[in-house]
Amino acid sequence: GTLSDTQLANPKGVNLLLTGAYSVLDGIRQNSQGNEWGRSADNWVMDVISDDAHKGSTDADQADLFELEMYNWQTGNGYFLARWSVLYAGVNRANAVIDLISSSDNPADFDLQHAQARFLRGHFNFELVKTFGSVPLITSQNYAEKDFNQVNASTSDLWAAIEADFTYAKANLPGSYGNAYSQKGRPLSVAAAAFLGKAHLYQKDWPSALTELNIVISSGQYGLHPNQLDNFMSATENGVEAIFAIQYSADDAQSKQG
């Protein structure tokens, strides 16, 4: 069965819906489309397209990926569809949270959840623009009206929406972890500033990027590991270089949907 918005319009329901938006960060969801190897959140496929990595194995192994490595792809390549579908799933789930909060009796009761949903939507849209360029912009109003058949938006409108989401998140997320907001997988205000600065970088807006990234530097919350490998070791995860990191579980006897 399904739950109505009326049943979900409470702290437990909003948080459950928000958890659903977070869960798409790793690229895994039910009813996924395309080549499953292309859904990964770490964008390793882009490393293969560049000169940072080699696909390996034989040319016939992972033919879709070989097309990408050789810059000889077709529009129906399964890697494209995989990434496209999972990113829009993230946008959709973030919009679901925003719409539920907006239609609740007291939206102000969910300011923190709203800020997280805006950050996540900004992230998913950022990844879409980085990967595909001009794409449809699905707003929370489109979601509420179930009007998903949108034409490609201009890149200027897309960047404006991304910046608006990160700006809202920066103003409304906590500055540090503590009390009820202690899970490292949730973004802080300074993380939103970092993403906003990165969005400016992609637009070559150097002064605005510097302003936001200086917020990150001057916060004193981040630095460099003595050993670069510490960024990839479980014993030192969520270290001083981690501004926003997707949280994975390992060896916990959970299913793929766990």
Side-chain angles (χ1 to χ4, degrees):
T2 59
L3 297 175
S4 67
D5 284 355
T6 301
Q7 292 172 303
L8 289 170
N10 54 72
K12 183 177 180 179
V14 171
N15 283 321
L16 285 172
L17 211 59
L18 180 61
T19 298
Y22 273 106
S23 73
V24 191
L25 284 170
D26 64 0
I28 302 299
R29 69 182 184 95
Q30 290 184 330
N31 302 318
S32 293
Q33 296 175 292
N35 189 313
E36 64 177 330
W37 293 99
R39 302 173 198 143
S40 174
D42 62 8
N43 282 335
W44 67 276
V45 176
M46 299 303 175
D47 292 326
V48 173
I49 295 176
S50 72
D51 59 356
D52 293 337
H54 175 55
K55 181 187 75 68
S57 187
T58 64
D59 293 349
D61 176 39
Q62 286 291 326
D64 285 347
L65 186 56
F66 182 67
E67 283 186 4
L68 300 183
E69 184 174 46
M70 299 304 293
Y71 272 71
N72 187 33
W73 57 71
Q74 304 297 313
T75 55
N77 188 290
Y79 276 76
F80 295 153
L81 178 59
R83 197 71 182 131
W84 175 278
S85 65
V86 77
L87 290 173
Y88 270 113
V91 171
N92 193 57
R93 294 188 187 192
N95 275 330
V97 178
I98 295 167
D99 178 63
L100 178 62
I101 292 172
S102 298
S103 61
S104 67
D105 292 336
N106 296 294
D109 291 345
F110 305 106
D111 283 347
L112 185 54
Q113 292 92 334
H114 189 187
Q116 292 173 77
R118 293 286 295 269
F119 177 90
L120 292 173
R121 186 175 66 178
H123 163 74
F124 292 125
N125 276 322
F126 194 179
E127 290 296 312
L128 280 163
V129 174
K130 283 164 54 180
T131 306
F132 299 104
S134 178
V135 297
L137 176 62
I138 309 300
T139 66
S140 53
Q141 181 177 349
N142 295 143
Y143 175 87
E145 297 172 354
K146 301 298 182 284
D147 186 16
F148 301 113
N149 189 19
Q150 300 295 314
V151 300
N152 289 351
S154 67
T155 52
S156 59
D157 285 345
L158 287 161
W159 282 122
I162 292 166
E163 290 174 19
D165 278 344
F166 289 144
T167 299
Y168 183 92
K170 184 179 76 168
N172 292 278
L173 287 171
S176 60
Y177 294 112
N179 299 321
Y181 199 81
S182 59
Q183 294 174 308
K184 295 289 186 172
R186 300 183 188 273
L188 296 175
S189 174
V190 70
F195 275 64
L196 182 57
K198 190 174 180 180
H200 287 307
L201 280 178
Y202 269 78
Q203 299 171 80
K204 299 182 180 180
D205 183 358
W206 315 125
S208 297
L210 181 61
T211 297
E212 299 300 331
L213 297 178
N214 270 335
I215 292 174
V216 182
I217 296 170
S218 62
S219 72
Q221 297 183 51
Y222 307 101
L224 297 176
H225 281 294
N227 187 335
Q228 184 183 11
L229 289 177
D230 287 342
N231 285 299
F232 311 101
M233 306 296 288
S234 59
T236 48
E237 65 183 2
N238 297 315
V240 293
E241 292 192 39
I243 295 177
F244 177 68
I246 301 171
Q247 306 299 297
Y248 290 86
S249 60
D251 301 324
D252 58 0
Q254 296 293 312
S255 71
K256 290 184 178 180
Q257 301 298 330

